[in-house]
Amino acid sequence: MVGIGEFARYLGVSVRMLRHYDALGLLVPAHVDPASGYRSYSATQLDRANRLIAFKELGFPLDQIGPVLDAELSPAELRAMLTLRRAQVAADLAADQARLADIERRLRAIEGGTMETLEFVERALPAVRVAQIVGRAADQPEIGPTIGPMFERLATALAQAGVGLTQPPLAWYRPVGDAMEMAAAFPVSVSQLPAALAEAGIELATLDACESAVTVLHHGGMESIGQTWQHLVRHIEEAGLRFDGVAREVYLHMPMDGDPAEWVTELQQPVARA
């Protein structure tokens, strides 16, 4: 057997931490001298100690580790548990990275961002006939997870029905109270859709022409498109204009197997003089 100091060194932890594990009953010394209270550990305890430390470093609460250790899981069971925990940690890390990226975008927005590199164009928009699926999101975080599957469903259905697609897809957005009504749409030249598409909730509609809209190109993925919309809003107000119609996004270049940094989306906001 070895003393607590040596055992702590072999494990790469502090003596204080070993005493804490002892107090919790997670790693009790093999022997405690009744006179001095000096703790000694056996080499046979190294396996339990290593498992304990691994679970702790993976983020398991100490009150949950004891029952797992006492269950004496097989290597296969232990591996499965740690694999699951690794996936959870990876998901947490991805969420943290997404939050960090959002903070960076917010900072750029506060600092004025890249507005000086954006070119705002005021022009008329023609009427567009589209095949569309209309949906609604109760709050902003639901928009992406809602409209993404709508586009997948629409593209698949149109392809299966043999409806030709020659123009970029688009989306439109319209606030309804606190919610957001929106549509995934593809411009089409047909005057009538196959009955099967109508039964699947796909409708033919015409987006009205407008005399004036402010447009701007957004370069990059959807995670940063909100910042470009904010710049567009500022430009509209500074130009003495007001919103006057349904906002649109036209996805000019968005290869699904390409780098999102190369995506190009045109933002279109119909306006009128204030």
Side-chain angles (χ1 to χ4, degrees):
M1 288 194 294
V2 298
I4 189 171
E6 289 177 292
F7 199 67
R9 181 167 63 87
Y10 298 150
L11 291 171
V13 300
S14 67
V15 169
R16 180 187 60 80
M17 188 57 67
L18 285 181
R19 288 175 178 150
H20 183 55
Y21 294 155
D22 179 16
L24 295 176
L26 296 174
L27 188 63
V28 178
H31 176 73
V32 178
D33 185 280
S36 65
Y38 192 76
R39 298 171 173 84
S40 298
Y41 294 83
S42 167
T44 60
Q45 294 181 278
L46 286 170
D47 182 60
R48 180 181 177 91
N50 282 319
R51 292 187 179 208
L52 165 58
I53 294 168
F55 280 124
K56 179 177 179 296
E57 291 182 346
L58 283 168
F60 284 90
L62 290 178
D63 60 354
Q64 295 180 12
I65 294 176
V68 175
L69 294 175
D70 295 337
E72 297 183 356
L73 300 176
S74 68
E77 292 172 322
L78 182 60
R79 179 177 178 79
M81 178 174 289
L82 294 181
T83 299
L84 175 61
R85 182 56 183 169
R86 181 176 62 185
Q88 293 171 337
V89 171
D92 290 342
L93 179 60
D96 287 341
Q97 290 173 333
R99 281 192 289 270
L100 180 60
D102 186 60
I103 291 171
E104 294 291 345
R105 288 192 294 272
R106 299 293 177 184
L107 286 173
R108 289 195 296 270
I110 292 171
E111 294 165 357
T114 58
M115 188 169 180
E116 66 278 2
T117 68
L118 298 175
E119 182 179 358
F120 299 97
V121 177
E122 187 175 346
R123 60 183 175 87
L125 297 179
V128 183
R129 177 175 290 177
V130 297
Q132 65 181 17
I133 296 177
V134 178
R136 182 175 292 196
D139 205 351
Q140 189 278 335
E142 299 179 15
I143 293 176
T146 299
I147 202 167
M150 288 165 56
F151 268 112
E152 294 176 7
R153 177 180 152 208
L154 179 61
T156 299
L158 292 175
Q160 292 175 345
V163 177
L165 303 176
T166 60
Q167 298 183 54
L170 60 92
W172 58 257
Y173 300 91
R174 176 170 52 212
V176 180
D178 291 337
M180 181 66 69
E181 186 177 50
M182 57 197 168
F186 279 91
V188 294
S189 57
V190 298
S191 58
Q192 186 174 350
L193 292 177
L197 294 181
E199 293 172 358
I202 298 170
E203 63 184 29
L204 197 63
T206 299
L207 302 185
D208 294 335
C210 70
E211 294 183 359
S212 183
V214 175
T215 68
V216 65
L217 293 181
H218 168 73
H219 296 267
M222 293 298 99
E223 74 285 345
S224 58
I225 199 169
Q227 185 177 349
T228 305
W229 272 112
Q230 289 185 30
H231 290 318
L232 184 144
V233 170
R234 292 191 182 98
H235 174 83
I236 288 174
E237 290 195 356
E238 291 170 0
L241 303 171
R242 60 179 175 82
F243 283 52
D244 188 38
V246 176
R248 307 179 193 176
E249 294 176 354
V250 181
Y251 307 110
L252 300 175
H253 180 71
M254 190 178 288
M256 290 299 99
D257 56 350
D259 183 356
E262 299 176 357
W263 291 359
V264 181
T265 305
E266 184 177 65
L267 313 187
Q268 302 176 344
Q269 177 58 59
V271 295
R273 295 295 164 186

